[in-house]
Amino acid sequence: MTPESLKSWLRGGLLTLGTLQAFVSGWQYLFPVSFYNDFPTVRLDPPYNEHLVTDVGGLGLALAAMLFIAAWTRDTTVALTAVTGYLIYAGTHFLFHVTHFGNFSLTEAVGVGTGLGLEVALALLLLYTGRLLHRAERPQRDSLKR
């Protein structure tokens, strides 16, 4: 794969993660009661707390902005930073849910585990792609420093 095609894949993945994050986080921030009542399986979590839901929504919007900026700049260092932050968030979110399926039906548990697992997998793939691209660009960066 050429560096330009790697950049295209990385940009597409960053835009996908950013869009998903912006959708869910915007819903959390702008309509926290609706998110709590209507997002699948959230009603199975502890009691509603508007402050917590809107704070998480705001943090998610910040993360989405970082992913969009990384896609826009096409800078591998920015992309690696944004994806690493997203991976930490997605990984800890996935870990929480897969260890708290007590109130979930089998279908709900599989749905949540699969959806959150796909986010982690996509972030890992983007991290790998960004790292390949970063290595491919190293000779060019080194020659510019001279």
Side-chain angles (χ1 to χ4, degrees):
M1 232 180 206
T2 67
E4 200 53 41
S5 63
L6 285 172
K7 274 192 177 191
S8 294
W9 279 100
L10 184 60
R11 177 181 247 182
L14 290 165
L15 289 171
T16 299
L17 285 181
T19 300
L20 291 170
Q21 189 64 48
F23 173 76
V24 172
S25 298
W27 187 2
Q28 288 172 312
Y29 187 75
L30 297 170
F31 308 104
V33 174
S34 170
F35 180 83
Y36 182 81
N37 289 331
D38 302 324
F39 194 88
T41 71
V42 171
R43 71 186 178 287
L44 301 174
D45 289 333
Y48 173 71
N49 180 321
E50 181 178 3
H51 179 218
L52 179 61
V53 174
T54 57
D55 280 358
V56 169
L59 289 169
L61 289 171
L63 188 53
M66 290 171 41
L67 292 164
F68 286 133
I69 289 168
W72 180 67
T73 64
R74 295 178 54 140
D75 180 284
T76 56
T77 302
V78 174
L80 287 168
T81 303
V83 171
T84 298
Y86 183 84
L87 182 57
I88 292 167
Y89 161 74
T92 57
H93 190 204
F94 173 78
L95 185 61
F96 174 83
H97 279 287
V98 299
T99 59
H100 291 84
F101 281 146
N103 295 329
F104 288 49
S105 70
L106 178 60
T107 302
E108 291 166 334
V110 168
V112 169
T114 301
L116 296 177
L118 286 172
E119 289 178 350
V120 171
L122 180 55
L124 286 169
L125 180 61
L126 291 176
L127 194 60
Y128 176 73
T129 302
R131 189 69 185 127
L132 285 178
L133 184 56
H134 192 71
R135 286 183 183 158
E137 292 174 336
R138 173 171 267 149
Q140 181 183 10
R141 283 191 312 272
D142 290 346
S143 68
L144 291 174
K145 290 180 184 178
R146 293 179 192 168

Coordinates of all heavy atoms in Angstrom, one line a residue, residues 21-56:
Q21 N -18.8 9.0 17.2 CA -18.6 9.7 18.5 C -19.5 11.0 18.6 O -20.1 11.2 19.6 CB -17.2 10.0 18.7 CG -16.8 10.4 20.1 CD -17.1 9.3 21.2 OE1 -16.8 8.2 21.0 NE2 -17.8 9.7 22.2
A22 N -19.5 11.8 17.6 CA -20.3 13.0 17.6 C -21.8 12.7 17.7 O -22.5 13.4 18.5 CB -20.0 13.8 16.3
F23 N -22.3 11.7 17.0 CA -23.7 11.4 17.1 C -24.1 11.0 18.5 O -25.0 11.6 19.1 CB -24.0 10.2 16.1 CG -25.4 9.8 16.3 CD1 -26.5 10.5 15.8 CD2 -25.7 8.6 16.9 CE1 -27.8 10.1 15.9 CE2 -27.0 8.1 17.1 CZ -28.1 8.9 16.6
V24 N -23.4 10.0 19.1 CA -23.7 9.6 20.4 C -23.5 10.7 21.5 O -24.4 10.9 22.3 CB -23.0 8.3 20.8 CG1 -23.2 7.9 22.3 CG2 -23.4 7.1 19.9
S25 N -22.4 11.4 21.4 CA -22.1 12.4 22.4 C -23.0 13.6 22.3 O -23.4 14.2 23.3 CB -20.6 12.8 22.2 OG -19.8 11.7 22.5
G26 N -23.3 14.0 21.0 CA -24.3 15.1 20.8 C -25.6 14.7 21.5 O -26.3 15.6 22.1
W27 N -26.1 13.5 21.3 CA -27.3 13.0 21.9 C -27.2 13.1 23.4 O -28.1 13.6 24.1 CB -27.6 11.6 21.4 CG -29.0 11.0 21.8 CD1 -30.0 11.6 22.5 CD2 -29.4 9.7 21.4 NE1 -31.0 10.7 22.6 CE2 -30.7 9.6 22.0 CE3 -28.8 8.7 20.8 CZ2 -31.4 8.4 21.8 CZ3 -29.6 7.5 20.6 CH2 -30.9 7.4 21.1
Q28 N -26.1 12.6 23.9 CA -25.9 12.6 25.4 C -25.9 14.1 25.9 O -26.5 14.4 27.0 CB -24.6 12.0 25.8 CG -24.5 10.5 25.6 CD -23.1 10.0 25.8 OE1 -22.1 10.6 25.2 NE2 -22.9 9.0 26.6
Y29 N -25.2 15.0 25.2 CA -25.1 16.3 25.7 C -26.4 17.1 25.6 O -26.8 17.9 26.5 CB -23.9 17.0 25.0 CG -23.7 18.4 25.6 CD1 -23.0 18.5 26.9 CD2 -24.1 19.5 25.0 CE1 -22.8 19.7 27.5 CE2 -23.9 20.8 25.6 CZ -23.2 20.8 26.8 OH -23.0 22.1 27.4
L30 N -27.0 17.1 24.4 CA -28.2 17.9 24.1 C -29.5 17.3 24.6 O -30.4 18.1 25.0 CB -28.3 18.1 22.6 CG -27.1 18.8 21.9 CD1 -27.2 18.7 20.4 CD2 -27.0 20.3 22.4
F31 N -29.6 16.0 24.7 CA -30.8 15.4 25.1 C -30.5 14.3 26.1 O -30.8 13.1 25.8 CB -31.6 14.8 23.9 CG -31.8 15.8 22.8 CD1 -31.0 15.8 21.6 CD2 -32.7 16.8 22.9 CE1 -31.2 16.7 20.6 CE2 -32.9 17.8 21.9 CZ -32.1 17.7 20.8
P32 N -30.0 14.6 27.3 CA -29.6 13.5 28.2 C -30.7 12.6 28.7 O -30.5 11.4 28.8 CB -28.9 14.3 29.3 CG -29.5 15.7 29.3 CD -29.8 15.9 27.8
V33 N -31.9 13.2 28.9 CA -33.0 12.3 29.4 C -33.4 11.3 28.2 O -33.6 10.1 28.5 CB -34.2 13.1 29.8 CG1 -35.4 12.2 30.2 CG2 -33.8 14.0 31.0
S34 N -33.4 11.8 27.0 CA -33.8 11.0 25.9 C -32.7 9.9 25.7 O -33.0 8.7 25.5 CB -33.9 11.8 24.6 OG -34.0 10.9 23.5
F35 N -31.4 10.3 25.8 CA -30.3 9.3 25.7 C -30.5 8.2 26.8 O -30.5 7.0 26.5 CB -29.0 9.9 25.9 CG -27.8 9.0 25.8 CD1 -27.4 8.6 24.5 CD2 -27.3 8.4 26.9 CE1 -26.3 7.7 24.4 CE2 -26.2 7.5 26.8 CZ -25.8 7.1 25.6
Y36 N -30.8 8.6 28.0 CA -30.9 7.6 29.1 C -32.1 6.7 28.9 O -32.1 5.5 29.0 CB -31.1 8.3 30.4 CG -31.2 7.4 31.6 CD1 -30.1 6.8 32.1 CD2 -32.4 7.1 32.1 CE1 -30.1 5.9 33.2 CE2 -32.5 6.1 33.2 CZ -31.4 5.6 33.7 OH -31.5 4.7 34.7
N37 N -33.2 7.3 28.4 CA -34.5 6.5 28.2 C -34.5 5.7 26.9 O -35.1 4.7 26.9 CB -35.7 7.5 28.3 CG -36.0 8.0 29.6 OD1 -35.7 7.4 30.6 ND2 -36.5 9.2 29.7
D38 N -33.9 6.2 25.9 CA -34.1 5.6 24.6 C -32.9 4.9 23.9 O -33.1 4.1 23.0 CB -34.5 6.7 23.6 CG -35.8 7.4 24.1 OD1 -36.7 6.7 24.6 OD2 -35.9 8.7 23.9
F39 N -31.7 5.2 24.4 CA -30.5 4.5 23.8 C -30.6 3.0 24.3 O -30.7 2.8 25.5 CB -29.2 5.2 24.2 CG -28.0 4.7 23.4 CD1 -27.7 5.3 22.2 CD2 -27.3 3.6 23.8 CE1 -26.6 4.9 21.4 CE2 -26.2 3.2 23.1 CZ -25.9 3.8 21.9
P40 N -30.4 2.1 23.4 CA -30.6 0.7 23.8 C -29.6 0.3 24.9 O -28.4 0.7 24.9 CB -30.2 -0.1 22.5 CG -30.4 0.9 21.4 CD -30.1 2.2 22.0
T41 N -30.1 -0.3 25.9 CA -29.4 -0.9 27.1 C -29.0 0.1 28.2 O -28.7 -0.3 29.3 CB -28.2 -1.7 26.7 OG1 -27.2 -0.9 26.3 CG2 -28.6 -2.8 25.7
V42 N -29.1 1.4 27.9 CA -28.6 2.4 28.9 C -29.6 2.3 30.1 O -29.1 2.4 31.3 CB -28.6 3.8 28.4 CG1 -28.4 4.9 29.5 CG2 -27.4 3.9 27.3
R43 N -30.8 2.0 29.9 CA -31.8 1.9 31.0 C -31.4 0.8 32.0 O -31.9 0.8 33.1 CB -33.2 1.7 30.5 CG -33.4 0.4 29.8 CD -34.8 0.2 29.2 NE -34.9 -1.1 28.6 CZ -34.3 -1.5 27.5 NH1 -33.5 -0.7 26.8 NH2 -34.5 -2.7 27.0
L44 N -30.6 -0.1 31.5 CA -30.1 -1.2 32.4 C -29.0 -0.8 33.4 O -28.6 -1.5 34.2 CB -29.7 -2.4 31.5 CG -30.7 -2.9 30.6 CD1 -30.1 -4.0 29.7 CD2 -31.9 -3.5 31.3
D45 N -28.5 0.4 33.2 CA -27.4 0.9 34.0 C -28.0 1.5 35.3 O -29.2 1.6 35.4 CB -26.5 2.0 33.2 CG -25.7 1.3 32.1 OD1 -25.4 0.1 32.3 OD2 -25.4 2.0 31.2
P46 N -27.1 2.0 36.2 CA -27.6 2.6 37.4 C -28.5 3.8 37.1 O -28.6 4.3 36.0 CB -26.3 3.1 38.1 CG -25.3 2.1 37.6 CD -25.6 1.9 36.2
P47 N -29.1 4.4 38.2 CA -30.1 5.5 38.0 C -29.6 6.7 37.2 O -28.4 6.9 37.2 CB -30.5 5.9 39.4 CG -30.2 4.7 40.2 CD -29.0 4.0 39.6
Y48 N -30.5 7.4 36.5 CA -30.1 8.5 35.7 C -29.5 9.6 36.5 O -29.9 9.9 37.6 CB -31.4 9.0 35.0 CG -31.2 10.3 34.3 CD1 -30.5 10.3 33.1 CD2 -31.7 11.5 34.7 CE1 -30.3 11.5 32.4 CE2 -31.6 12.7 34.0 CZ -30.8 12.7 32.9 OH -30.7 13.8 32.2
N49 N -28.4 10.2 35.9 CA -27.7 11.4 36.5 C -27.4 12.3 35.4 O -26.5 12.1 34.6 CB -26.5 10.9 37.2 CG -25.7 12.0 37.8 OD1 -25.6 13.1 37.3 ND2 -25.1 11.7 39.0
E50 N -28.2 13.4 35.2 CA -28.0 14.4 34.1 C -26.6 14.9 34.1 O -26.0 15.0 33.0 CB -29.0 15.5 34.2 CG -28.9 16.5 33.1 CD -30.0 17.6 33.1 OE1 -30.7 17.7 34.1 OE2 -30.0 18.4 32.2
H51 N -26.1 15.3 35.2 CA -24.7 15.8 35.2 C -23.7 14.9 34.6 O -22.9 15.2 33.8 CB -24.3 16.2 36.7 CG -23.0 16.8 36.8 ND1 -22.2 16.5 37.9 CD2 -22.2 17.6 36.0 CE1 -21.0 17.1 37.7 NE2 -21.0 17.8 36.6
L52 N -23.8 13.6 35.0 CA -22.8 12.6 34.5 C -23.0 12.4 33.0 O -22.1 12.4 32.2 CB -23.0 11.3 35.3 CG -22.1 10.1 34.8 CD1 -20.7 10.5 35.0 CD2 -22.5 8.9 35.6
V53 N -24.3 12.3 32.6 CA -24.5 12.0 31.1 C -24.1 13.2 30.3 O -23.4 13.0 29.3 CB -26.0 11.7 30.9 CG1 -26.3 11.6 29.4 CG2 -26.4 10.4 31.6
T54 N -24.4 14.4 30.7 CA -23.9 15.6 29.9 C -22.4 15.8 29.9 O -21.8 16.2 28.9 CB -24.6 16.9 30.3 OG1 -24.4 17.2 31.7 CG2 -26.1 16.8 30.0
D55 N -21.8 15.5 31.1 CA -20.3 15.6 31.1 C -19.7 14.6 30.2 O -18.7 14.9 29.4 CB -19.8 15.3 32.5 CG -19.9 16.5 33.4 OD1 -20.3 17.6 33.0 OD2 -19.5 16.4 34.6
V56 N -20.2 13.3 30.2 CA -19.6 12.3 29.3 C -19.9 12.7 27.8 O -19.1 12.6 27.0 CB -20.3 10.9 29.6 CG1 -19.9 9.9 28.5 CG2 -19.8 10.4 30.9

